[in-house]
Amino acid sequence: MNQHTTIPSIFLVTGFLGSGKTRFLQYLLESPVAGSRNAVIVNDFGDVIYDSFLLKKHAVNLIELPGGCLCCSALDDFREALSQVAEYSPEHIFIEATGLADAASVRADLGFMGFPVDAVFCVVDALHWRQSQQQLPIFDDQLREADYLLVSKTDLVSREDIEYLREYLASI
């Protein structure tokens, strides 16, 4: 890895499949607040990543990491991707993790590689969060590790359901 005079800000985006991670990242990258020198790493379990085309026009470099998870099977590819994007001297690196990523492990691995995480965003699907929470134990772990919780699809649920979700998130 090249030696850099400044380490870019690292932002990790987590959340389960369909929660709105890519849409959040697209919106953020389109905003002037994100700046113009952003790199994006998109990770997914599948062999093909369909959503990355939405982000390509907003990044100085976009790398796809299909076929594994950053926190385990794709760790070597992740290390290589970080080296590649760092060569472009981005101001920020946004990492969209697969929905099953262990955010605490990814954060620890990034720190070990010399890229400390500035913030972890977790996108929570207001419509399907209960199914995710009941089926996948990592759901609560992602919530606990997040610095910021972003609730998506609030227009598709009742005010009572949003309040129940808010109380659940506060309990975590």
Side-chain angles (χ1 to χ4, degrees):
M1 184 182 314
N2 295 340
Q3 294 298 322
H4 304 285
T5 56
T6 60
I7 297 173
S9 299
I10 306 289
F11 300 102
L12 180 62
V13 180
T14 65
F16 285 98
L17 180 65
S19 64
K21 296 181 303 286
T22 301
R23 181 64 188 115
F24 161 68
L25 201 46
Q26 180 185 18
Y27 178 77
L28 180 64
L29 293 171
E30 289 173 353
S31 169
V33 73
S36 61
R37 300 226 19 102
N38 299 303
V40 178
I41 297 174
V42 179
N43 176 229
D44 207 341
F45 270 111
D47 291 332
V48 178
I49 299 175
Y50 296 102
D51 292 338
S52 64
F53 75 93
L54 296 170
L55 304 172
K56 283 186 180 187
K57 67 180 180 179
H58 304 293
V60 294
N61 192 2
L62 183 135
I63 295 181
E64 298 174 337
L65 292 177
C69 183
L70 298 176
C71 56
C72 46
S73 61
L75 187 57
D76 289 336
D77 293 336
F78 185 31
R79 190 175 287 117
E80 178 62 30
L82 279 168
S83 294
Q84 287 178 23
V85 297
E87 290 177 11
Y88 286 85
S89 299
E91 185 178 352
H92 310 292
I93 298 175
F94 293 93
I95 301 166
E96 181 182 339
T98 180
L100 297 175
D102 179 350
S105 292
V106 175
R107 186 190 293 251
D109 290 341
L110 281 162
F112 180 75
M113 289 185 262
F115 292 90
V117 174
D118 289 270
V120 175
F121 296 92
C122 183
V123 181
V124 181
D125 179 340
L127 188 59
H128 299 105
W129 74 272
R130 287 182 187 151
Q131 294 92 327
S132 298
Q133 191 269 338
Q134 291 169 355
Q135 296 171 358
L136 304 162
I138 194 102
F139 179 84
D140 286 348
D141 295 339
Q142 283 188 357
L143 296 176
R144 281 186 203 95
E145 190 62 27
D147 298 302
Y148 299 95
L149 298 174
L150 307 156
V151 180
S152 65
K153 304 179 187 177
T154 57
D155 58 325
L156 302 176
V157 297
S158 70
R159 185 171 280 156
E160 293 82 20
D161 286 341
I162 292 172
E163 187 55 38
Y164 184 74
L165 173 56
R166 181 177 290 134
E167 289 173 12
Y168 181 76
L169 294 175
S171 74
I172 295 295

